[in-house]
Amino acid sequence: MWITKREARRKSVQRLEDIKAGRIKFFQLFTPDLHRHYDYWEFPSLNLIAGPSGHGKSYFLSKIIKNAFQGKNKDLNILWFHFGLEMRPDREEMRDIATEQGVSYKDLKNPDNPVSEDKLQDMLERLAEDDDVMLDNLHYYADSSINRLQFIEQVKKIRRKNPDRNIAISVDHLLLVSGAKDSEGEVEVQANLAKSLVQVAQSERVMIVPLGQMNDKIENPMRLSPDNPSMHYPTKTDLHGSKQVYQAMDTVTMVYQPALNNITDYGRHRLPTVIKGLNLFAVHCIKDRDGRQFVLAMINELNKGLIRDLTENEKLEITNG
């Protein structure tokens, strides 16, 4: 199908009119600094989040999901469907409970210091009375496996059942979505999945936020050396799997805690990786079709269930350091 430049221009003007009238919806991220750098994510769009194992990408996603039901995003009336193929729904909720209780996930489930009976009863009573819209508008995929065709059919089914809602889909993580045939290799599976994600996001008008894995290139001693600060930052070659996944996405974000790889001064600007005992949480936007690439320094305060912006004092400390 071909259209003329005139028709394309007419469509672009119509899009601007739709934005002005609020017919096109935009999603806001969960801290002021993130919002300032990203502006908004759109419905539909594809927004990949990747990171090394254990560096907080799933928790970063959970903060994005929680924010879907707060602030300006409440007006979007979002239904969020989470394909948590790596973590069971009850464990996902335990992580939220840890945040609400102001303790770490590890401490919450510590068998040597279990949650008291009174506190457990209080949680159940609060749940019965809670009117948080997230409780009824966030849905978990309860099975532990799914293939590419089943995933696409699930998304289409969700749209058929909810024709007028803003739909968001998250997948934790893409490498756990299997191929439609046993004969498909990993790279082929990811390449076919990338094509399917593009098609279904557009056809069903959904925002999709998949998690990806980083390979072990980031752990190469040359990349970690203080003599090579320009090599510290993750790049698209650090993504595990098919390059088609990167190409399919509207935004690609890599999250990284350099202190976990024993880096003390991070990147060209020599950012300290530990600030008053808390790890630097580096957010790298390496692709944004509508914006610019950037690096944002945040703080990992998971003992309180937080990934947060730096305070003004912490920003000064980094600048002066």
Side-chain angles (χ1 to χ4, degrees):
M1 176 182 174
W2 293 82
I3 64 172
T4 64
K5 180 178 175 64
R6 185 184 301 278
E7 179 63 14
R9 179 63 61 91
R10 188 194 65 78
K11 287 179 179 292
S12 69
V13 172
Q14 179 62 56
R15 177 174 174 76
L16 292 173
E17 289 178 353
D18 288 343
I19 291 172
K20 182 179 180 181
R23 290 187 290 270
I24 294 178
K25 305 301 182 182
F26 295 88
F27 180 82
Q28 185 171 319
L29 295 175
F30 65 91
T31 76
D33 281 352
L34 278 171
H35 176 54
R36 179 167 54 84
H37 281 78
Y38 276 103
D39 201 6
Y40 293 96
W41 287 350
E42 294 186 33
F43 292 85
S45 63
L46 293 167
N47 306 283
L48 178 72
I49 299 167
S53 294
H55 282 239
K57 61 183 179 293
S58 294
Y59 203 76
F60 187 74
L61 173 61
S62 75
K63 292 300 184 186
I64 290 171
I65 295 173
K66 191 175 183 67
N67 194 58
F69 306 98
Q70 298 176 340
K72 289 184 177 179
N73 289 333
K74 286 181 73 173
D75 296 335
L76 298 178
N77 196 25
I78 293 172
L79 277 175
W80 197 296
F81 294 83
H82 180 62
F83 290 80
L85 305 177
E86 191 168 50
M87 184 178 286
R88 298 196 312 262
D90 57 315
R91 294 201 173 189
E92 295 270 7
E93 282 304 302
M94 283 179 65
R95 197 158 52 183
D96 266 5
I97 291 171
T99 299
E100 292 165 5
Q101 298 292 320
V103 299
S104 70
Y105 176 66
K106 181 179 179 181
D107 287 341
L108 180 72
K109 62 187 184 70
N110 182 0
D112 295 326
N113 185 27
V115 178
S116 69
E117 189 65 38
D118 287 347
K119 186 164 282 189
L120 289 171
Q121 187 60 38
D122 180 60
M123 289 179 190
L124 290 174
E125 290 175 359
R126 285 175 179 267
L127 180 61
E129 299 170 359
D130 201 334
D131 61 356
D132 184 352
V133 294
M134 184 176 178
L135 291 170
D136 298 310
N137 289 282
L138 169 58
H139 301 261
Y140 293 111
Y141 183 71
D143 295 333
S144 59
S145 64
I146 194 169
N147 69 37
R148 175 175 59 87
L149 296 182
Q150 290 169 337
F151 173 78
I152 297 305
E153 183 51 41
Q154 283 288 329
V155 175
K156 290 181 177 180
K157 184 178 179 181
I158 288 166
R159 173 51 76 198
R160 287 195 299 270
K161 288 187 173 181
N162 305 280
D164 300 319
R165 296 288 294 273
N166 286 311
I167 303 293
I169 308 284
S170 50
V171 190
D172 186 2
H173 52 78
L174 277 187
L175 291 176
L176 295 177
V177 179
S178 59
K181 301 176 182 177
D182 292 339
S183 60
E184 290 183 36
E186 183 180 286
V187 173
E188 185 181 4
V189 170
Q190 292 295 298
N192 289 335
L193 181 57
K195 296 173 187 174
S196 296
L197 289 174
V198 172
Q199 292 166 357
V200 79
Q202 294 297 324
S203 66
E204 308 306 318
R205 310 181 319 281
V206 297
M207 181 177 74
I208 301 180
V209 188
L211 290 190
Q213 197 72 21
M214 281 169 61
N215 55 43
D216 59 3
K217 291 179 182 178
I218 197 78
E219 298 173 358
N220 185 305
M222 185 176 293
R223 298 279 301 275
L224 304 178
S225 170
D227 298 326
N228 299 314
S230 63
M231 298 180 70
H232 288 171
Y233 288 1
T235 69
K236 66 180 180 181
T237 60
D238 294 311
L239 274 175
H240 186 90
S242 168
K243 62 183 179 182
Q244 281 92 337
V245 171
Y246 172 87
Q247 293 166 349
M249 297 296 139
D250 295 298
T251 68
V252 177
T253 300
M254 290 182 161
V255 298
Y256 185 40
Q257 295 185 63
L260 298 183
N261 280 346
N262 299 314
I263 295 174
T264 56
D265 299 290
Y266 186 51
R268 295 181 294 276
H269 299 293
R270 304 284 184 175
L271 299 177
T273 61
V274 179
I275 303 169
K276 295 180 179 178
L278 300 172
N279 279 4
L280 178 77
F281 189 89
V283 178
H284 295 260
C285 177
I286 66 169
K287 178 183 179 182
D288 187 344
R289 291 193 200 279
D290 297 325
R292 59 185 177 85
Q293 299 178 9
F294 63 83
V295 182
L296 175 63
M298 301 184 73
I299 289 291
N300 165 20
E301 202 168 357
L302 293 186
N303 61 321
K304 293 183 179 179
L306 295 174
I307 296 172
R308 61 169 176 81
D309 291 334
L310 273 69
T311 65
E312 291 305 315
N313 285 339
E314 289 166 342
K315 290 176 182 177
L316 284 173
E317 184 175 329
I318 283 181
T319 303
N320 296 334

